[in-house]
Amino acid sequence: MDTKFSVAVHVLILVSESPHPMTSDQMGESVGTNASYIRKILALLKKAGIVDGHRGISGYSLLIAPDQLTLLRIYRAVTEEEQTHILDIHQNPSDLCMVGRHIRPVLTELFAQVEDSFARSLASQTLADCMDAIRKRM
């Protein structure tokens, strides 16, 4: 499973909460990954208009207030998809099999409902909500 979304939320909280600009090396240490992966995530977030950062200048800044930045917007920024797509159906079910002949439309409908629910849930939560949840755990 891809971890870009969770890494993006992690680094956005770091950017938002740090009193000083953080480097990708510092963020990588916190996330537990290398700085080049962090820079890839930050590039996607920058492309989506969520953060700003400049080559040669240490650190990034949020362009959207945490209470206005939905988790859905973050998710779509790092997956680079307009629609929420989390589940796939296997490609070659046999039309000779009763299950194989009908599985695609059944799962397509079910997966669409699940993905819609997932998107609505992410749209109802913000980066500030994640920050508040962390504060409550501290």
Side-chain angles (χ1 to χ4, degrees):
M1 178 162 267
D2 194 320
T3 61
K4 287 186 284 192
F5 175 60
S6 65
V7 170
V9 172
H10 190 137
V11 299
L12 288 170
I13 292 172
L14 290 173
V15 167
S16 177
E17 294 296 292
S18 178
H20 307 289
M22 292 186 74
T23 67
S24 55
D25 287 325
Q26 292 168 318
M27 290 181 213
E29 276 186 42
S30 178
V31 172
T33 192
N34 62 53
S36 65
Y37 186 67
I38 298 297
R39 287 189 294 274
K40 287 178 186 176
I41 299 296
L42 287 165
L44 293 170
L45 295 169
K46 184 175 180 180
K47 179 180 173 184
I50 295 172
V51 297
D52 191 24
H54 302 283
R55 188 164 256 207
I57 298 173
S58 182
Y60 291 82
S61 59
L62 278 180
L63 296 175
I64 302 169
D67 64 339
Q68 298 299 307
L69 181 54
T70 68
L71 297 184
L72 182 61
R73 182 161 182 187
I74 298 167
Y75 177 84
R76 288 190 173 155
V78 296
T79 60
E80 298 183 282
E81 295 179 6
E82 286 295 314
Q83 298 297 316
T84 305
H85 180 77
I86 56 175
L87 301 168
D88 283 319
I89 301 171
H90 53 292
Q91 293 298 309
N92 300 307
S94 172
D95 283 339
L96 301 176
C97 171
M98 183 187 331
V99 174
R101 187 173 31 245
H102 301 285
I103 195 70
R104 289 185 77 68
V106 168
L107 290 181
T108 297
E109 185 177 315
L110 173 67
F111 290 1
Q113 292 170 3
V114 169
E115 290 170 344
D116 182 58
S117 177
F118 177 72
R120 279 185 280 120
S121 180
L122 289 181
S124 72
Q125 298 289 313
T126 66
L127 186 65
D129 294 327
C130 292
M131 294 161 55
D132 289 343
I134 288 172
R135 284 186 192 98
K136 287 177 185 171
R137 291 181 161 274
M138 292 174 21

